[in-house]
Each structure stands twice: as C-alpha cells, then as structure tokens.
Amino acid sequence: ESEIDKRIGNVLTTVYLLFNEGYYSSNNNAVLRKDLCLEAMRLTHMLTENETTDKPAVNALLALMCFHASRFEARVGSNGELILYEDQDTSLWNRELILQGERYLNKASTGNYLSKYHWEAAIAYWHTITDNETEKWEKILSLYNQLLMMEYSPIAALNRTYALSKIYGNKEAIIEAEKLKLDNNHLYHCLLGELYSNVDLKKAINHLQHALKLSRVAADKKVIKNKISKLAKLKNV
C-alpha cells in the first residue's frame, strides 16, 4: 500500500496510452479500435472501485475516456472512414457516457493537485457541448493554455491552434501554427491545409499533399485525399 502513490502515475500512463492507441489506431485497417478503448476504461474503472486507488487523477482519466467514448458512433462512417469533429452527427453522441464523464469529473475535483488528465478531461467535456460556440471555444483555448503550461505536447499545441482559429480566425491561427515547425508531422500539415483553405488554396493543397506523403494510416489518407479533391475543384472554379 505504501508504494501506491509512487506507482499510480505509471499505471495511469499505461492505460492512457492503451486508450489512445484504440482511439486513434496506428493499425492501417482500423481508425478506431473500440476493444482497446473499452479495456482501458475497464481497467481504470477497477482503480476507482478500490479505495486505495480511487484518486482524483484516476477519476479525471476515466472522465476523459467517457467523453471521448461518447462520440465513438459519430466518429467513424459506415465504410470505416474517419469523420472529423466538425462533420460529426451530434445526435449520435452517447448522452449517458457524457453524464458518466461528468460524474467522474466531479469526483476528480477534490484535493489540491490538478493532473494533466483533469485539463484533458475538461477539454473533452467542452467538446461534448453543442451550443454556445463562442464560450465553448474560449473555454477550450484557455484549458489548452493551462495544459501546455503543465506539460508540453506537440499534439496539444496543434489542437490549441485549432481552437484559436475558432475565436480569432484562420490567419491568426496560421501564424501560431507555423511557429510550431512540426514539418515531419502529417497532422501539422493537415491543420495548415484546413487553416489555409479559405486564405490561400494553393498553399492549402500543398500542405495536404505533404500530409498525404507523411501519413501511414489508410483512414487518414482517405480523408486527406477527399479534402484535396474538394479544394482542387474550388481552385478550378
């Protein structure tokens, strides 16, 4: 029992990575592996059922998983293709899982320490809100700022830039995104392709073509090709 506080961090990192691999699979044949996500959720739920491991950070992580899992059915199309957040059918979001996430996040709000899972869970919660767009993205941007001050992550920085675009516009977001200089990251070029889409079509297409070369996941490639095709049609109008 005396070792629990020392070991719980590594345990949470492990189940967090397991969930992430399921949520954004590196397997070419599946963009979403629910089996991995559900196993990560089962293991984390076991930790909440044990008095000695029912810590705020554990509940925050389980809340994060519930919020993400609530959008599973809207995230993948009938042919297994990835559906981006902006295009998801919100009627397919699982309200019961959202409520469960809220309960676990409330349980996590004890003690004097906020883990990165608290910030990520709060960000995921706001992604389940379907109205109050201005307030929603302002909250998300503020939470990303807090998360990045605690622990820097290139993906979190990219996601922060997307939130920034929702508030200040694409031109401002492009300036911030290009400071990241993640030239070997396909998600970086996907984001710039999206941001440039109503600013400079040629640059948008160039970034998406670069993303296509870097991507190793079939579902990603399909989404990128569709975007390139749509922008090419606009360019030729």
Side-chain angles (χ1 to χ4, degrees), residues 158-210:
L158 280 177
N159 290 335
R160 174 193 174 274
T161 306
Y162 180 75
L164 190 145
S165 73
K166 292 293 187 179
I167 302 168
Y168 298 108
N170 286 10
K171 288 184 179 180
E172 186 71 25
I174 287 168
I175 294 170
E176 290 299 308
E178 289 181 340
K179 290 178 183 177
L180 300 175
K181 298 186 183 301
L182 301 171
D183 293 327
N184 294 320
N185 186 314
H186 81 281
L187 295 174
Y188 171 71
H189 291 286
C190 283
L191 175 64
L192 283 171
E194 180 71 26
L195 295 176
Y196 269 115
S197 62
N198 65 356
V199 176
D200 186 324
L201 279 175
K202 184 178 179 181
K203 285 188 176 181
I205 292 171
N206 286 342
H207 277 292
L208 289 171
Q209 288 173 335
H210 200 159

Side-chain angles (χ1 to χ4, degrees), residues 3-236:
E3 291 292 310
I4 286 175
D5 284 339
K6 295 178 184 178
R7 297 187 181 190
I8 194 72
N10 288 337
V11 173
L12 294 184
T13 296
T14 302
V15 291
Y16 174 76
L17 292 174
L18 176 63
F19 185 91
N20 283 354
E21 173 57 26
Y23 186 73
Y24 186 74
S25 178
S26 57
N27 186 320
N28 277 331
N29 298 318
V31 67
L32 174 66
R33 288 194 57 187
K34 293 181 184 178
D35 57 329
L36 297 184
C37 292
L38 293 175
E39 178 63 4
M41 293 175 75
R42 185 185 72 84
L43 293 170
T44 310
H45 185 260
M46 285 176 64
L47 294 174
T48 67
E49 291 185 311
N50 187 309
E51 185 178 345
T52 58
T53 54
D54 189 21
K55 309 284 187 182
V58 176
N59 283 278
L61 177 55
L62 190 51
L64 168 64
M65 292 175 176
C66 286
F67 291 137
H68 282 326
S70 72
R71 295 192 288 107
F72 277 176
E73 299 308 315
R75 195 165 171 266
V76 179
S78 56
N79 296 317
E81 73 277 14
L82 178 67
I83 299 176
L84 299 177
Y85 179 77
E86 287 291 311
D87 301 321
Q88 289 176 11
D89 179 355
T90 58
S91 69
L92 296 176
W93 293 358
N94 187 315
R95 298 296 157 186
E96 179 56 35
L97 275 172
I98 293 172
L99 289 174
Q100 283 186 32
E102 290 176 5
R103 287 195 289 270
Y104 286 118
L105 193 54
N106 285 332
K107 279 187 68 179
S109 60
T110 59
N112 300 315
Y113 173 71
L114 290 176
S115 66
K116 74 169 187 174
Y117 306 117
H118 284 81
W119 298 116
E120 290 192 29
I123 290 167
Y125 161 75
W126 278 99
H127 276 86
T128 67
I129 302 299
T130 56
D131 50 17
N132 296 322
E133 283 292 301
T134 301
E135 180 190 11
K136 167 181 171 176
W137 290 108
E138 285 176 347
K139 291 284 188 182
I140 290 172
L141 179 60
S142 175
L143 290 164
Y144 269 122
N145 291 340
Q146 297 294 329
L147 174 63
L148 287 166
M149 282 193 287
M150 168 176 275
E151 181 176 307
Y152 181 81
S153 155
I155 298 302
L158 280 177
N159 290 335
R160 174 193 174 274
T161 306
Y162 180 75
L164 190 145
S165 73
K166 292 293 187 179
I167 302 168
Y168 298 108
N170 286 10
K171 288 184 179 180
E172 186 71 25
I174 287 168
I175 294 170
E176 290 299 308
E178 289 181 340
K179 290 178 183 177
L180 300 175
K181 298 186 183 301
L182 301 171
D183 293 327
N184 294 320
N185 186 314
H186 81 281
L187 295 174
Y188 171 71
H189 291 286
C190 283
L191 175 64
L192 283 171
E194 180 71 26
L195 295 176
Y196 269 115
S197 62
N198 65 356
V199 176
D200 186 324
L201 279 175
K202 184 178 179 181
K203 285 188 176 181
I205 292 171
N206 286 342
H207 277 292
L208 289 171
Q209 288 173 335
H210 200 159
L212 189 60
K213 291 177 183 177
L214 292 171
S215 177
R216 294 178 294 176
V217 179
D220 279 349
K221 288 180 179 291
K222 188 172 183 179
V223 171
I224 296 166
K225 285 178 181 177
N226 287 339
K227 281 186 170 290
I228 291 172
S229 178
K230 288 178 182 178
L231 292 181
K233 288 177 182 177
L234 290 174
K235 188 170 180 289
N236 294 326

